[in-house]
Amino acid sequence: GDKGQKHSWPHKKFSMPVIQVTWLPKACRNAATRKLVADAIIKAVVGVKQAEVTKDKVVVRFGEAVDGFPLPAGHTHENVNDPVPEGK
């Protein structure tokens, strides 16, 4: 492998699986809602013992089906419970 390779990834370490949630835009799908959904997805994936996935390896990313919409950073078990920044 390429241990010295740098990835353009928002997290300190390369994590798998990456779960992408793409949905239509709605006002209720804000940062707080994304965190709740990410937390539920992480718990669901880790809860399947046969998958052999630990919470430190799961990343949940969100996107909206709109051209040019800036995608927010992904969520991990480390930040899903952090407070939502004001105005987000």
Side-chain angles (χ1 to χ4, degrees), residues 10 29 31 34 60-64 69-75:
R29 294 180 178 161
R34 289 191 301 268
V60 179
R61 294 188 58 83
F62 292 87
E64 292 185 350
F69 183 85
L71 295 176
H75 298 291

Side-chain angles (χ1 to χ4, degrees), residues 70-81:
L71 295 176
H75 298 291
T76 69
H77 73 287
E78 293 174 336
N79 68 6
V80 74
N81 292 316

Side-chain angles (χ1 to χ4, degrees), residues 2-33:
D2 248 337
K3 291 183 180 179
Q5 181 180 1
K6 294 191 180 205
H7 300 279
S8 59
W9 193 253
H11 309 292
K12 292 180 183 177
K13 60 186 178 230
F14 191 74
S15 299
M16 290 297 241
V18 175
I19 300 166
Q20 176 73 33
V21 177
T22 305
W23 49 17
L24 294 174
K26 288 186 174 186
C28 64
R29 294 180 178 161
N30 56 29
T33 300

Side-chain angles (χ1 to χ4, degrees), residues 38-80:
D39 187 42
I41 290 171
I42 291 168
K43 287 176 181 173
V45 171
V46 171
V48 179
K49 299 302 179 201
Q50 299 89 323
E52 297 182 358
V53 175
T54 56
K55 67 182 181 179
D56 62 315
K57 299 296 182 191
V58 182
V59 176
V60 179
R61 294 188 58 83
F62 292 87
E64 292 185 350
V66 176
D67 291 339
F69 183 85
L71 295 176
H75 298 291
T76 69
H77 73 287
E78 293 174 336
N79 68 6
V80 74

